Each structure stands twice: as C-alpha cells, then as structure tokens.
Amino acid sequence: MKIIIINGPNLNLLGKREPGIYGNLDFETFLSQLKAGFPGVDLDYYQSNLEGKIVDKLQEVGYSYDGVVLNAAAYTHTSIAIADAIAAIDTPVLEVHISNIHGREAFRQKSMISGNCIGMIAGLGLKGYQLALHYFTDSPHD
Ligand code: DQA
C-alpha cells in the first residue's frame, strides 16, 4: 500500500514553531517513529511552503497512490487551487490538523478543502497522522 503525507507551509518548523500549539517534536523524528509502526506501508513524505508545489504533488500521486494524508496548513483556509486538485484526483485525501482549528481564530475555522476530502482529523496533535494511516490500512473502509 502506497501512502503519502503532504505537509504545507511552516510545518517544516515543527518542534521549533509555537511548541505550545504544535508540540516539541520535529516531523522527521516523528516520521521515523510512524514508519516503524506501519512496516507494511510504503510511506512517502513531502513538505512545501508553496501552494503550486502542493498542487503539483497532488496531481503527481493522485492517480497511483492508495491514500494522501494532507495537512495543508494555512492553505487549508485559502486555497481553491488545492481544493480543486483534491477534487480532480482519484486518490482519497484525508485532511489532518495538529491543532483544533475549530477552537482557534475565526479565520482558521473555515476549511476550503474539507468538502473534497474523505474526512478530517483535528486537534489530536501528531497522533492525527497515525490515526489517518490507520484509516487507510485498517480494513474495511466502509
Ligand atoms: C494547522 C492549522 C492551520 O490553521 C495553521 O495555519 C497551520 C497548522 C494545524 O496542523 O493545526 O499551519 O494546519
């Protein structure tokens, strides 16, 4: 099973960035722990601070991978381009947020992409990525 985690802007700063909200762990360290827990998954990781590069990556993986775990970060709240890319591709996309976007500023409470994703996990910290992988790997989905 081939799955990719795609992280959007500023998530390359996890561990240093607002640790009270996003925690103390950098994503690379977390990712190696995550991979160890899912030995049967061919797990890729991509991070970009650029909207168009996230669109490019969704198009690249979106007709061959089994799942995308997407934290579009701030683009969640603004990007019609990412929402359209999710709608365009065949691969199901699961939206993840580390923080509870519904308990934060009003501008974070609206997601442009949720309607095109199969579901959303928010507010559970990095564990949200693990739960998202379980969604794709535990069978059946329906
Ligand atoms: C985030 C929430 C977004 O509002 C914010 O812009 C981020 C991270 C989260 O994971 O909690 O960069 O997606």
Side-chain angles (χ1 to χ4, degrees):
M1 173 170 280
K2 226 169 155 37
I3 296 177
I4 186 168
I5 295 173
I6 301 178
N7 273 345
N10 300 305
L11 291 172
N12 54 313
L13 298 180
L14 282 178
K16 305 196 259 257
R17 172 194 184 198
E18 299 181 273
I21 298 174
Y22 299 112
N24 295 300
L25 199 59
D26 65 278
F27 201 80
E28 284 66 25
T29 304
F30 172 70
L31 188 63
S32 52
Q33 295 169 5
L34 194 63
K35 281 184 173 170
F38 290 88
V41 176
D42 187 355
L43 183 59
D44 285 349
Y45 174 58
Y46 181 76
Q47 189 276 332
S48 179
N49 293 323
L50 303 179
E51 183 178 20
K53 286 197 164 191
I54 295 170
V55 170
D56 283 345
K57 184 54 75 174
L58 286 166
Q59 291 184 7
E60 181 191 319
V61 302
Y63 298 91
S64 54
Y65 280 51
D66 300 298
V68 173
V69 178
L70 174 64
N71 185 345
Y75 289 135
T76 302
H77 316 298
T78 61
S79 181
I80 296 169
I82 292 175
D84 283 351
I86 295 166
I89 62 177
D90 292 340
T91 301
V93 177
L94 211 168
E95 178 180 0
V96 168
H97 299 285
I98 297 164
S99 65
N100 178 6
I101 57 172
H102 297 292
R104 299 184 63 191
E105 303 96 319
F107 68 85
R108 292 187 207 277
Q109 294 179 23
K110 169 79 188 157
S111 169
M112 303 296 286
I113 67 171
S114 288
N116 295 342
C117 293
I118 49 172
M120 194 242 258
I121 297 169
L124 303 182
L126 292 174
K127 196 175 174 72
Y129 292 92
Q130 185 190 12
L131 294 170
L133 286 182
H134 274 298
Y135 170 77
F136 285 117
T137 57
D138 296 357
S139 57
H141 291 339
D142 39 25

